[in-house]
Amino acid sequence: MIFHILAFVTGFLLDLLIGDPHWLPHPIRLIGALISKMERLNRKELNNRQKLWRGIVMVVSVVFLTAAVTLLILLLAYEIHPAAGLAVESIMTYQILATRCLKVESMKVYERLAAQDLPGARAAVSMIVGRDTAALDEIGVAKAAIETVAENSSDGVIAPMLYLAIGGPVLGFVYKAVNTMDSMVGYKNEKNLYFGRCAAKLDDVVNYIPSRIAALFMIAVSFFPGKAVGRAFDGKHAWRIWRSDSRKHASPNSAQTESACAGSLGVQLAGDASYFGQLVKKPAIGDALRPVEYEDIPRANVLLYRMAFLCEILCVIVLALVMCCFH
């Protein structure tokens, strides 16, 4: 347990210091490659029932292989030496978290908007969102970046952190594998409606509780003193908007942190968006107490970092208490 706590803290700090440089090989890319190979099971000539069952086979296979390989590497490392095990577990923990990466990518959008480079901002935001960005104006680009930070504060930071605390890198990588499968095949289009259904439903399940915990963390840190880029957060409004708008999304989880963020900033997020050339009608989230501005991107990142530190501290306290109880 001591090594687990040390790795949990070390990995968190490594993520904040290093992030996810593009030149560094990442295990999630290997998981993505495995999913791509498994997608060959999804063939046109299959009926819907066959596609559904093959999608289940893919999910079980990817989850099992991810857990088995991670566990094997950890056991071998700790067998060699406790220090080697600690180093490997710390690196794995670091690779599962995405706090700095999320901030760096969203701030690229902010920097382009601050330089009044709208085409550059559209290109930067297209790297982190799935919607069409070619026709977005300055406010649309800023909103897309803010929504990405808000939503991924849960599935990119808080949820993996909680799973890491509970089950170490094995459960952490299993969570990331489920998340990656959903992002690759969990679409309600003709190709993946049945094949990706199991992955999409499993992603909803594993994110259900963490997304709500993340929203509560975002509300809590909105009460912290201090301003971000000249503006204070509003914890009371974050709570109110979360209570009223957290279900305004097709996904049961996506609007949890997005509604808390909209309320904290006092802006309106979401609304209609274009995906693959088709307009998708979506309800707005939050009250437009003021217009969205590009300075809201670094403000959203302040909320993100506050949430990450709060979650890390609380997880370490709980792990330490558990260790004391068993000793």
Side-chain angles (χ1 to χ4, degrees), residues 102-117:
L102 188 53
K103 177 186 176 183
V104 167
E105 294 303 317
S106 61
M107 287 303 289
K108 289 178 182 178
V109 182
Y110 168 76
E111 289 164 3
R112 291 298 89 214
L113 289 174
Q116 298 183 333
D117 177 11

Side-chain angles (χ1 to χ4, degrees), residues 23-138:
W23 55 266
L24 189 65
H26 201 289
I28 302 302
R29 295 173 193 165
L30 295 177
I31 294 174
L34 173 61
I35 295 167
S36 294
K37 288 184 179 296
M38 295 296 293
E39 278 189 276
R40 296 174 184 173
L41 294 171
N42 185 22
R43 297 199 296 269
K44 289 183 179 181
E45 66 271 15
L46 300 174
N47 61 42
N48 294 337
R49 183 180 177 83
Q50 290 172 322
K51 289 181 179 180
L52 183 64
W53 276 107
R54 292 196 177 205
I56 294 172
V57 170
M58 180 198 69
V59 169
V60 173
S61 301
V62 171
V63 167
F64 174 77
L65 287 172
T66 299
V69 171
T70 305
L71 181 60
L72 180 62
I73 293 172
L74 274 174
L75 289 176
L76 287 174
Y78 274 109
E79 184 68 24
I80 292 170
H81 195 276
L86 174 61
V88 170
E89 187 173 353
S90 298
I91 292 171
M92 286 182 169
T93 300
Y94 145 66
Q95 291 173 323
I96 290 167
L97 300 173
T99 315
R100 182 180 174 87
C101 177
L102 188 53
K103 177 186 176 183
V104 167
E105 294 303 317
S106 61
M107 287 303 289
K108 289 178 182 178
V109 182
Y110 168 76
E111 289 164 3
R112 291 298 89 214
L113 289 174
Q116 298 183 333
D117 177 11
L118 183 55
R122 287 170 176 163
V125 82
S126 70
M127 303 301 293
I128 57 174
V129 300
R131 73 191 66 177
D132 299 332
T133 61
L136 292 179
D137 59 11
E138 180 180 309

Side-chain angles (χ1 to χ4, degrees), residues 257-277:
T257 45
E258 193 171 336
S259 59
C261 183
S264 181
L265 296 175
V267 299
Q268 191 172 78
L269 299 175
D272 299 347
S274 176
Y275 294 86
F276 307 107

